Amino acid sequence: MAVNDAHVMASWGDENGAAGKVTMLSDDITSAPYTQALGMAKDAASLTFSGLTGKRCSRFAIVLNDGVVKSVHVDQSTTVTTSAEAVMKAAAAEAAAKPAEAVMKAAAAEAAAKPAEAAAEPAAEEKKD
């Protein structure tokens, strides 16, 4: 997505072989409503480029899975976190952390259940007598 004209975005997509792989989205160049709603708008006058006016969009990448946002990456002035390599590296690190989180949650749930099980056992033995 870019704050640009739809024809420019279509041409950019054609030039980069995006057809069928990436949806090229255009946000209104005069008011950038979607960009502003995302909190990604910048005033063009604040950029180092000369002669630009209106709103521009911060460079960002949003990772979605079945329409659900999984992560958002926003470039800062000197840090590139939105390249394909950076986003994939972050996704791999997150995926690697998930099994450890799951094991820790399962262990915590098991530990929390043990006092309840221990309290229930004498009652079960009393019924046998």
Side-chain angles (χ1 to χ4, degrees):
M1 185 193 79
V3 178
N4 215 323
D5 159 310
H7 301 290
V8 171
M9 293 302 292
S11 292
W12 190 36
D14 291 343
E15 286 289 320
N16 289 285
K21 301 174 196 167
V22 177
T23 302
M24 306 298 287
L25 300 174
S26 171
D27 200 7
D28 179 66
I29 198 160
T30 56
S31 61
Y34 188 70
T35 299
Q36 291 194 71
L38 288 173
M40 300 290 179
K42 305 191 237 189
D43 183 24
S46 70
L47 302 174
T48 56
F49 305 93
S50 61
L52 293 177
T53 60
K55 298 291 181 194
R56 292 294 181 257
C57 186
S58 297
R59 182 175 163 146
F60 68 95
I62 299 177
V63 178
L64 297 116
N65 186 359
D66 292 328
V68 176
V69 173
K70 294 299 181 182
S71 62
V72 177
H73 308 267
V74 182
D75 282 353
Q76 303 305 317
S77 59
T78 58
T79 308
V80 176
T81 60
T82 60
S83 68
E85 295 81 12
V87 171
M88 295 302 289
K89 185 176 179 180
E94 185 178 322
K98 293 271 184 198
E101 282 180 30
V103 168
M104 291 172 58
K105 283 181 182 178
E110 184 178 320
K114 283 191 179 188
E117 289 172 5
E121 287 176 13
E125 289 176 13
E126 288 174 14
K127 288 182 181 179
K128 289 180 186 177
D129 292 336

